[in-house]
Amino acid sequence: MAGFEGVVVSDPWLQNQFTQVELRSLKSQFLASGGGRGSLTLRDLSATMSRLKIAGDCLTEDERAAFLRESYPDLDHHVDFELFLRVYLKMQGRVGAKNSSSAFLKAATTTLLHTISESEKASYVSHINNYLGEDPFLKKYLPIDPTTDDLFEIAKDGVLLCKLINLAVPGTIDERVINTKRVLNLWEKNENLMLFLNSAKAIGCTVVNIGTQDLAEGRPHLVLGLISQIIKIQLLADVNLKNTPQLVELVDDSKDVEELMSLPPEKILLRWMNFQLKKGGFRRLITNFSSDVKDGEAYACLLNVLAPEHSRKPYPSTVKDLLERAKLVLEHADRIGCKRYLTPKDIVEGSPNLNLAFVAHIFQKRNGLSSQMKQVTFLEANSDDPQVSREEKAFRLWINSLGISNINNVFEDLKNGWLLLEVLDKVSPGIVCWKSANKPPIKMLFKKVENCNQVVKIGKQLKFSLVNIAGHDIVQGNKKLILAFLWQLMRYNILQLLKNLRFHSREKEIKDIDILNWANNKVKDSGRYSRLDSFKDRSLSSGIFFLDLLSAVEHRAVNWNLVTKGQSDEEKKMNASYIISVARKLGCSVFLLPEDILEVNQKMMLTLTASIMYWYLKRPITEDGSVSSDGENGSSSESTSSSTSDDSGSESSSDDSGGR
């Protein structure tokens, strides 16, 4: 989206309805629909919006056409960008009327009303004060007063947000890369925010259509929404069989264990809660963290099962007033050391995010489970190879970053073929025959196979290597074949993005060797001497080549005072961690781990190099040949993002540290 930085419309009201990222996205769609040629009319919009999936998929083309007939008498009127925006806003209103229920922080392009929950803000501020209050850099800003907007002000330089990422998933960001001088300039703040956004994607947050400028402006609904996702990831970190193998107590046999392994943490938490409630004789099934827990009865029973020694009279179950009952529940929770993520009012009103946080915290403190060695042994015997797990995670996070749908496990969530078809359509628009596709929920096995057969057919059309692969292999969850397909799909996406940037006029196909040669030439031209012979070159494990490459594309990116020689395993890991964070700080969306560099995972070495190449080629260039400073997070369909150049990128942890 680098061509639309700073999109401005003449009507101030319209300008205020959208973030800059949203405007750039809509401008791109407007031009794609023919608006830039002046040939687009109101009559064309229903088909155009359906084809581009603008303003929600829940409206059919006929519904869009009927809406346009009702709203505009002259359908032959030509559409300029501002009229396009007005139609879009009205259409979004129609979508909202048709589907009033909405999840917190949807990935939709925009909503007309951006509201925040003061209860959620207070709860998240309390979480931050508690966990980050002693941080050497942040303690001068903490504790934050939840009754003010200080949270959004403090978040503007990106430091707090980056620290939250590492709190949720330790080690995601190499903190040496965070700019933490006493006074940060605009470039340094922007770099921190870019590092945060790309790292947030790398731990599974939805950041579609959110850019660094939105965070620099401290937009409350966006900042709070991202903080909500990060805290949720932190609180649910142990709600899985890997970190809490005792969860196998919830199931009866090996088949059920496999099913449990595929569930998202929220579903596992619900199953755990119902398991404990059954022990206490609770007769209702809890299916959500909102309406089902409003009356406080489930909480009263759960806490009595987990911590009967802390029960006090009057018992919550004997109190009729819901607010008073909720108050007693929270007092019981306090006695076992659970922090209050919610108030009695939040329980009664059924706040889903805060109730989820509350239950997750109870699980952390006291899960009431015991180990069953037979099932734990089964779990260990069926655990994935570490490289398989890392690749599954990388491909899962890449898919989630496309803004289609969040998945929890590629081997389970892709079995029906539908999501794979959506990814293929995102990567190569128009390639899927949707008339032949079966939309979920799909109960019949042969319909899943039909979807997966089309997936394989399209893969062959894109010249993937798919020897002896059929649709039923995906349906059966064949891990090796699914990973092989996803790797080729991710690689195809990256190569197409590179082709579309600079080579589309010559129709030049980009190959792996082109990326390798580009990287070697950039390093050579910068006066450095490292070189790679292939993407499985063992010398890559030291990290020196990638550091040379990052320095070559942005000479202020690397602080050489922080670089090791890369000789021992410890030195190599330090360099690898630094490389990933520097790349994300520049604006590259990468999903690998330091272990991938240490072990020279050929696939991940290619994607890392290609992401750096894509960032470098994508940077907007001004008329005088310099790099524009208006770069921002790219569109959701791209695997990397542009960024601004750093004014002092090597100064990460002190006022006067400098790099070569």
Side-chain angles (χ1 to χ4, degrees):
M1 305 303 297
F4 304 119
E5 271 78 9
V7 177
V8 178
V9 293
S10 59
D11 187 331
W13 180 84
L14 271 178
Q15 186 79 33
N16 289 333
Q17 302 307 304
F18 303 95
T19 67
Q20 273 298 311
V21 172
E22 292 166 350
L23 280 174
R24 287 198 297 276
S25 176
L26 289 167
K27 186 66 176 282
S28 174
Q29 293 173 324
F30 172 69
L31 295 177
S33 66
R37 300 188 296 272
S39 58
L40 183 66
T41 67
L42 284 166
R43 192 183 305 279
D44 302 325
L45 277 185
S46 58
T48 297
M49 287 184 160
S50 292
R51 177 171 55 84
L52 295 177
K53 298 183 179 179
I54 298 174
D57 291 338
C58 62
L59 291 182
T60 66
E61 185 175 333
D62 289 341
E63 287 174 323
R64 288 188 172 97
F67 164 77
L68 289 167
R69 286 195 300 271
E70 295 168 7
S71 305
Y72 301 96
D74 182 10
L75 293 180
D76 293 321
H77 185 79
H78 286 278
V79 179
D80 60 14
F81 184 50
E82 291 199 10
L83 179 56
F84 182 83
L85 293 178
R86 292 182 186 279
V87 172
Y88 174 83
L89 287 173
K90 288 185 177 182
M91 200 82 77
Q92 282 290 90
R94 177 65 63 92
V95 172
K98 183 176 180 181
N99 182 16
S100 59
S101 62
S102 60
F104 184 67
L105 194 71
K106 270 188 169 181
T109 309
T110 187
T111 53
L112 297 182
L113 295 175
H114 295 312
T115 59
I116 65 171
S117 163
E118 289 298 326
S119 290
E120 289 195 21
K121 183 178 77 169
S123 179
Y124 302 150
V125 164
S126 175
H127 180 96
I128 291 168
N129 289 339
N130 180 67
Y131 283 95
L132 292 175
E134 297 303 314
D135 182 88
F137 179 81
L138 293 175
K139 62 182 179 183
K140 57 188 173 185
Y141 303 109
L142 303 182
I144 300 170
D145 184 349
T147 64
T148 69
D149 286 336
D150 288 354
L151 171 63
F152 310 119
E153 288 298 316
I154 294 171
K156 285 182 178 180
D157 66 9
V159 178
L160 171 65
L161 297 174
C162 286
K163 299 276 188 176
L164 270 178
I165 291 277
N166 273 356
L167 189 60
V169 185
T172 299
I173 294 175
D174 188 325
E175 295 206 4
R176 297 175 296 172
V177 176
I178 305 173
N179 298 319
T180 55
K181 294 194 305 183
R182 282 197 301 269
V183 179
L184 298 176
N185 61 39
L186 291 176
W187 315 125
E188 291 163 336
K189 292 177 182 179
N190 190 79
E191 278 193 325
N192 283 346
L193 294 172
M194 185 63 73
L195 173 61
F196 163 73
L197 284 174
N198 283 311
S199 300
K201 281 195 285 187
I203 66 169
C205 293
T206 299
V207 299
V208 177
N209 292 327
I210 301 175
T212 56
Q213 186 61 32
D214 300 314
L215 301 180
E217 293 172 0
R219 291 177 178 263
H221 67 288
L222 296 179
V223 173
L224 200 66
L226 285 168
I227 289 175
S228 168
Q229 293 185 73
I230 296 166
I231 291 176
K232 176 181 172 183
I233 289 171
Q234 178 186 346
L235 292 175
L236 295 177
D238 290 329
V239 188
N240 57 72
L241 283 165
K242 180 179 180 181
N243 293 340
T244 310
Q246 294 88 351
L247 281 166
V248 294
E249 189 179 350
L250 307 185
V251 297
D252 296 323
D253 55 39
S254 60
K255 186 176 180 181
D256 290 334
V257 171
E258 290 180 354
E259 180 191 352
L260 190 65
M261 291 175 70
S262 69
L263 291 177
E266 298 94 320
K267 297 289 186 184
I268 295 177
L269 200 61
L270 280 172
R271 183 172 290 195
W272 166 80
M273 188 174 179
N274 282 308
F275 176 80
Q276 300 295 356
L277 289 174
K278 187 177 180 181
K279 291 181 183 178
F282 196 74
R283 296 184 179 181
R284 282 193 290 122
L285 187 69
I286 302 301
T287 62
N288 58 64
F289 295 106
S290 181
S291 59
D292 285 0
V293 296
K294 280 184 175 183
D295 59 13
E297 291 180 355
Y299 285 150
C301 180
L302 177 66
L303 291 167
N304 196 52
V305 169
L306 297 175
E309 73 277 15
H310 290 293
S311 294
R312 299 283 190 278
K313 291 183 179 180
Y315 300 121
S317 56
T318 64
V319 176
K320 293 184 178 180
D321 181 84
L322 295 185
L323 277 173
E324 183 62 25
R325 182 187 299 167
K327 180 182 176 182
L328 293 173
V329 163
L330 293 179
E331 289 175 356
H332 191 168
D334 266 351
R335 288 193 288 272
I336 62 172
C338 288
K339 296 176 181 61
R340 294 187 180 185
Y341 279 95
L342 72 178
T343 65
K345 183 181 177 183
D346 295 323
I347 293 180
V348 174
E349 292 182 351
S351 173
N353 287 329
L354 297 183
N355 277 292
L356 172 62
F358 178 60
V359 177
H361 198 243
I362 293 173
F363 179 88
Q364 282 186 341
K365 287 288 184 179
R366 189 173 297 202
N367 61 42
L369 298 172
S370 61
S371 176
Q372 291 188 2
M373 295 311 298
K374 181 179 179 181
Q375 291 170 309
V376 172
T377 302
F378 169 84
L379 181 63
E380 292 171 348
N382 286 272
S383 59
D384 284 331
D385 173 83
Q387 183 167 324
V388 169
S389 297
R390 291 203 305 271
E391 289 191 6
E392 185 276 334
K393 180 180 179 181
F395 297 143
R396 168 165 42 89
L397 293 172
W398 169 68
I399 291 172
N400 290 344
S401 75
L402 299 178
I404 300 170
S405 176
N406 268 28
I407 61 174
N408 184 63
N409 183 303
V410 298
F411 305 125
E412 294 296 325
D413 296 341
L414 302 183
K415 280 184 175 181
N416 64 20
W418 179 264
L419 187 60
L420 274 174
L421 290 173
E422 288 193 305
V423 176
L424 284 163
D425 193 57
K426 192 81 171 181
V427 169
S428 183
I431 201 168
V432 175
C433 178
W434 290 109
K435 291 182 179 179
S436 302
N438 304 297
K439 190 172 184 178
I442 307 173
K443 295 183 179 179
M444 298 183 185
L445 181 63
F446 79 91
K447 290 189 176 291
K448 296 179 183 180
V449 174
E450 284 180 351
N451 281 352
C452 292
N453 281 340
Q454 185 180 176
V455 167
V456 173
K457 180 180 177 182
I458 293 172
K460 292 178 179 177
Q461 185 180 332
L462 297 176
K463 300 180 181 179
F464 294 177
S465 175
L466 299 174
V467 179
N468 296 324
I469 297 180
H472 66 83
D473 293 311
I474 299 175
V475 176
Q476 292 174 356
N478 186 308
K479 294 181 179 181
K480 181 179 179 180
L481 297 181
I482 290 174
L483 290 178
F485 184 90
L486 289 176
W487 157 240
Q488 294 181 82
L489 183 55
M490 186 178 183
R491 175 178 171 275
Y492 173 83
N493 179 225
I494 293 172
L495 297 182
Q496 286 301 109
L497 288 171
L498 287 169
K499 174 185 174 183
N500 293 340
L501 276 180
R502 296 288 172 89
F503 307 103
H504 60 280
S505 60
R506 296 195 295 250
E507 293 299 320
K508 175 179 170 58
E509 294 293 334
I510 304 299
K511 298 180 180 179
D512 296 3
I513 189 64
D514 296 317
I515 299 172
L516 185 143
N517 289 337
W518 173 85
N520 278 326
N521 289 335
K522 288 304 297 180
V523 171
K524 182 180 178 181
D525 292 345
S526 72
R528 298 186 181 274
Y529 300 101
S530 60
R531 178 180 177 81
L532 72 157
D533 295 324
S534 71
F535 291 113
K536 52 186 178 182
D537 189 328
R538 298 305 303 175
S539 68
L540 289 175
S541 66
S542 72
I544 300 301
F545 178 82
F546 286 118
L547 290 164
D548 282 344
L549 178 60
L550 288 164
S551 180
V553 298
E554 173 48 72
H555 70 278
R556 289 164 291 194
V558 177
N559 181 353
W560 289 99
N561 294 328
L562 301 176
V563 175
T564 73
K565 294 181 180 180
Q567 295 176 345
S568 67
D569 288 345
E570 183 179 354
E571 288 183 345
K572 290 178 180 180
K573 189 164 186 177
M574 289 178 67
N575 283 351
S577 173
Y578 187 63
I579 287 164
I580 293 170
S581 288
V582 169
R584 288 174 179 156
K585 183 177 179 179
L586 284 179
C588 304
S589 247
V590 291
F591 302 105
L592 74 166
L593 294 173
E595 289 78 7
D596 292 311
I597 298 177
L598 297 180
E599 297 172 12
V600 191
N601 182 323
Q602 182 180 358
K603 299 172 184 176
M604 295 301 116
M605 297 304 90
L606 171 61
T607 59
L608 175 59
T609 310
S611 295
I612 297 170
M613 179 180 178
Y614 180 72
W615 172 82
Y616 178 80
L617 296 179
K618 188 186 175 191
R619 299 176 307 166
I621 306 298
T622 61
E623 292 182 2
D624 63 1
S626 63
V627 179
S628 168
S629 62
D630 293 329
E632 206 170 288
N633 213 29
S635 71
S636 61
S637 64
E638 297 166 348
S639 63
T640 55
S641 312
S642 64
S643 172
T644 65
S645 300
D646 177 26
D647 183 80
S648 184
S650 62
E651 302 176 5
S652 58
S653 57
S654 65
D655 291 322
D656 54 3
S657 64
R660 290 200 327 235

